[in-house]
Amino acid sequence: MSMKPLNYASASFVTSAPDITKLPPDTGIEIAFAGRSNAGKSSALNTLTRQKALARTSKTPGRTQLINVFELDSGERLIDLPGYGFAKVPMAVKEKWQKALAEYLQKRDSLKGIVVLMDIRHPFRETDQELIYWAADCGIPVLALLTKADKLKQGPRKSTVLQARQAAIAFNGDVQVEAFSSLKRIGVEQLENKLNEWFSSQDDG
């Protein structure tokens, strides 16, 4: 497989959609970023694209209730899915969002991979596990990024990653686990490599 390094700094905002019917045409390749509302998803997207405010970081978790679409200059798309698992969102909003998420995962043909972001101090919470099992059932590969890795010293960080890799075997899917820190730029190269691999997958088939 020929891997092409992509220019993630070229990412630009395209649209915010309440559900899959308002997304761009289901062609090409897109990679989704998902995670709990306080997992550092926006920071990771901004670090990847080397832009300070591509994805809006909010002091109030759960603020993003729309599917945000960013496009690279080469036509590939990065999808920022709304944060989940935040208690202060009304139940009706939560249910509506879960329905939109389910539809997106099951019906979006151009989705070729999901980056699931989890705070390294609280990996694989119930909602994270549900999402990863779902992806595995749909045959979608997952990159689990353990964010805020700078909060742990190197020893505990390594052992947490090893434990998480061991735990990930239970998903019976293509699940890779890496430590990540937007602040210290830990894991950025691994993230880029995995995205390049996924974005290159259309060349094979």
Side-chain angles (χ1 to χ4, degrees), residues 57-194:
T57 51
S58 170
K59 293 269 190 294
T60 312
R63 186 62 64 75
T64 320
Q65 292 307 324
L66 298 166
I67 300 172
N68 293 310
V69 181
F70 306 102
E71 194 169 296
L72 305 179
D73 58 6
S74 43
E76 290 87 354
R77 293 181 299 278
L78 300 172
I79 307 292
D80 181 12
L81 296 171
Y84 52 75
F86 192 66
K88 287 183 185 163
V89 176
M91 188 49 82
V93 172
K94 227 178 241 185
E95 285 170 356
K96 187 177 164 207
W97 158 228
Q98 279 166 337
K99 181 172 173 280
L101 177 65
E103 279 189 339
Y104 176 77
L105 290 179
Q106 289 162 354
K107 298 180 180 173
R108 194 73 177 161
D109 289 336
S110 50
L111 175 65
K112 298 297 182 218
I114 301 177
V115 180
V116 179
L117 299 104
M118 303 175 283
D119 187 320
I120 193 165
R121 297 162 297 179
H122 316 286
F124 296 127
R125 285 184 168 178
E126 194 178 342
T127 37
D128 301 319
Q129 291 192 42
E130 282 171 15
L131 177 62
I132 298 171
Y133 274 122
W134 221 345
D137 284 348
C138 297
I140 300 167
V142 169
L143 174 62
L145 285 188
L146 305 184
T147 61
K148 308 181 185 180
D150 52 278
K151 303 273 188 197
L152 295 183
K153 290 198 165 81
Q154 197 170 3
R157 183 163 74 222
K158 273 187 176 163
S159 62
T160 302
V161 170
L162 288 173
Q163 284 166 7
R165 284 177 179 159
Q166 199 61 38
I169 296 167
F171 294 114
N172 289 322
D174 179 355
V175 183
Q176 180 176 327
V177 179
E178 300 289 348
F180 188 85
S181 164
S182 297
L183 196 65
K184 297 275 166 80
R185 296 190 63 80
I186 297 166
V188 176
E189 190 181 341
Q190 286 85 345
L191 171 59
E192 287 185 357
N193 288 344
K194 182 50 80 174

Side-chain angles (χ1 to χ4, degrees), residues 47-60:
T47 301
L48 169 71
T49 58
R50 295 164 178 76
Q51 298 183 42
K52 284 203 173 73
L54 180 74
R56 291 196 189 94
T57 51
S58 170
K59 293 269 190 294
T60 312

